[in-house]
Every structure is written in C-alpha cells, then in structure tokens.
Amino acid sequence: MVDKLLKDGKKAYERNEFEKAVGKFQEAYGLAREIKYTDGEGVALTEMCLFYQTKNQLPRAKELGENAIEVLTNTTDKKALGQARVALARIYLMMDNTFTAMQQLNQALKEFTNLGASDGEEVAKVLLLAADIGMRTNHEKEAIQFYEAAASYIGQAGKTRDQVAIQVRISNMLMANGLLTAAQEEALKALSAARNAQVPANAEIVCALNAVANAQYTLCQFSDARKSYEELLSLKVPEHTPLDKAVFQEGYGFTLIATGDLELAKQAFEKALPTIKAQGTVAHRAQVL
C-alpha cells in the first residue's frame, strides 16, 4: 500500500497536481511509520523534500532531506539513499552551500557505484549536479570532467538525446576556453552517438553536426565545415523553429565565404535575413547584414 501511494503521488506530481501529490506522500509516510516499513518512510521523506524544493521552501526541504538520509542510512536500499543524498545536495546548492552539496554528491556516488546500486542514469544525475557546482565555483576543468563522465553514463543508459546535448555543451565550453581540437573531438563524439543510436533522430544529428561545423570552421577546416552544414541543412527536423533554420543558414553562409563561393554565400544570408530581422537580436541582425 505504501508503494502504491508513492507511485500515485509521483503520477500526480507529473500532472502538476502538487497538493494531491504531497498528500499522497504524507499518507505514505504515515503508513510506513505505522507498519515500520523503513524504506518506504525514507522514500516518502525524499519525495516531500523535492516537493518543498520546487516550492522554494528550502529550510523545510532541508529538514526533510536530512530526515530521509537518517532513516535510509541503515537500510539495504542504497539507491534510495543515493537519491536522498542527491535531493539534499540540490537544497544545499540552492542555499549556496556548495561544499556540503559536494560532500553529499560524493556520498551519493559511493551509494550508486560501490554498494550494489549501480544505475547509469542516477549516476549521471549526480555527475551533472557536480558539474554545475564546478561551474558555479569557477572550477571549469573539473566541471568538464564531470560532464564527460555524465555523458558516458547516460549513454550507457540509452538516453542518446541527453548524451548528445551534454557532449555538445562540453564542445562549446572547450571552444570558449580556446581548446579547439578538443572541442572538435567532443563534437565528433556527439555526432557518432547520434548516428549510432538505436533509433537515429535527425534532431540529435543536426545538433551534433552544428557543433562539428562550428569547430571545423574555427580550426579553419572550411571545406569540411561546409560539408557538415550541407548535410545539416538537408535533414528535416519538424521541431526546429524558423529562427533555428535561419541561424544554420547564417553559419553556412560564413563557410561559403571562407571557401570563396560569394554568390552562394549571399543567397544563404538573404534566405536567413527575414527571420533574423523579425526574431533575432539587434547584434545578430547586424552581423548578417
């Protein structure tokens, strides 16, 4: 019955029925205490912690998260304990206590990887949160390492879209730091993951190709960048907005300039300009003009 209440609470939460969700979690918590079901009690506390986090009631969320860890520490459900530590780490991070947040994340990683609760998706969540802390505290090198590890774990879990998004983010970070060859390597990893997915999706391939083309252009590999853009533009992605497509045309235009095809470049810019005039920033519009 406790597990059913928890499941019903999560479903209500996903439907944005927040008050109903927290009611289910509270009911599950009370019943779990009554029947001495420690695992259920701890999970209910974690869910309530996350609920109050979304309401930005951080002191209450912190109290519930700490209680969840206390309850779950001596149980065999190490995955639940790891999830409770991640929830509490989020609270500490929101309260600008990055040191304690990282302590909780290190403990969570141990729960997931050393105590029989290995779960690629859960480990990736921990690593992504650790990466965010690294960025917040200006430890970009460490943050990139966390992102790379997260991409690997989430790829193992079969979440190709998330994996590609993380790898593209890493590529952009590396490029911003002047590490152009490394940025290209990471973009190519993203492209390989997108192409080799069980169900290849044009959206992920286009995202990765855009990162590859950017890296190639920055490395003065203009001919290769042009080919990447041409493949990118040949793929249909319904969810791409007109502005997305205009930005791709703009990038293609710059590669055409670099390869000496000025008339084609002009055509690409003219195709992009109406949308960028209407929806782009002033700086972006000036660049195309």
Side-chain angles (χ1 to χ4, degrees):
M1 186 61 182
V2 173
D3 292 336
K4 183 180 184 305
L5 286 167
L6 290 170
K7 187 176 180 180
D8 289 345
K10 289 179 181 179
K11 286 181 179 178
Y13 193 89
E14 290 168 358
R15 295 193 299 266
N16 297 325
E17 298 172 356
F18 298 122
E19 297 306 321
K20 182 178 179 180
V22 78
K24 294 289 185 183
F25 295 142
Q26 288 170 339
E27 190 178 349
Y29 172 70
L31 180 59
R33 289 204 68 180
E34 184 180 329
I35 65 175
K36 301 189 185 314
Y37 177 27
T38 308
D39 289 356
E41 182 183 346
V43 172
L45 285 165
T46 300
E47 294 293 349
M48 286 190 284
C49 165
L50 292 169
F51 171 81
Y52 284 104
Q53 176 200 328
T54 60
K55 294 291 185 181
N56 209 34
Q57 297 180 29
L58 301 184
R60 178 63 174 146
K62 176 175 172 288
E63 179 186 358
L64 289 163
E66 289 172 343
N67 289 344
I69 289 170
E70 184 178 350
V71 168
L72 290 166
T73 295
N74 295 318
T75 71
T76 57
D77 192 346
K78 298 306 177 184
K79 181 175 179 178
L81 177 56
Q83 289 170 330
R85 291 193 184 281
V86 173
L88 186 57
R90 288 197 183 99
I91 306 302
Y92 282 127
L93 187 56
M94 293 173 73
M95 299 175 80
D96 291 324
N97 187 345
T98 55
F99 177 78
T100 309
M102 189 61 81
Q103 284 184 321
Q104 288 297 330
L105 290 177
N106 284 332
Q107 287 296 319
L109 279 174
K110 290 179 182 177
E111 312 296 356
F112 288 131
T113 58
N114 296 338
L115 297 172
S118 182
D119 184 317
E121 202 169 346
E122 293 292 345
V123 173
K125 289 179 184 177
V126 178
L127 291 165
L128 286 172
L129 196 53
D132 290 341
I133 292 174
M135 291 299 294
R136 182 176 292 198
T137 55
N138 296 319
H139 291 84
E140 286 196 6
K141 181 180 178 182
E142 291 81 358
I144 289 171
Q145 291 172 342
F146 283 129
Y147 281 129
E148 287 175 336
S152 176
Y153 274 105
I154 212 160
Q156 292 170 26
K159 303 286 184 177
T160 304
R161 171 166 287 190
D162 293 334
Q163 179 187 4
V164 170
I166 294 167
Q167 288 172 323
V168 167
R169 183 174 182 179
I170 296 168
S171 178
N172 292 338
M173 290 171 65
L174 290 166
M175 192 174 296
N177 283 284
L179 301 171
L180 305 183
T181 301
Q184 184 183 44
E185 289 173 358
E186 202 63 38
L188 287 169
K189 285 183 195 175
L191 182 58
S192 176
R195 291 197 197 281
N196 295 328
Q198 288 185 344
V199 184
N202 284 353
E204 281 71 59
I205 294 174
V206 166
C207 180
L209 275 169
N210 189 48
V212 169
N214 286 339
Q216 290 168 332
Y217 183 90
T218 309
L219 286 164
C220 300
Q221 299 170 3
F222 302 126
S223 179
D224 290 337
R226 176 175 176 171
K227 290 175 184 176
S228 295
Y229 270 116
E230 286 172 347
E231 181 183 353
L232 179 162
L233 291 166
S234 72
L235 298 173
K236 294 182 179 179
V237 182
E239 56 264 47
H240 278 165
T241 66
L243 184 59
D244 291 331
K245 295 172 184 175
V247 170
F248 295 149
Q249 281 289 345
E250 178 193 0
Y252 182 45
F254 281 114
T255 63
L256 289 168
I257 290 175
T259 55
D261 290 299
L262 303 185
E263 187 57 39
L264 285 175
K266 182 182 176 185
Q267 291 172 21
F269 288 132
E270 287 174 341
K271 189 179 291 187
L273 191 55
T275 302
I276 288 175
K277 271 187 174 181
Q279 300 178 30
T281 64
V282 173
H284 199 179
R285 186 168 68 208
Q287 182 170 273
V288 177
L289 286 167

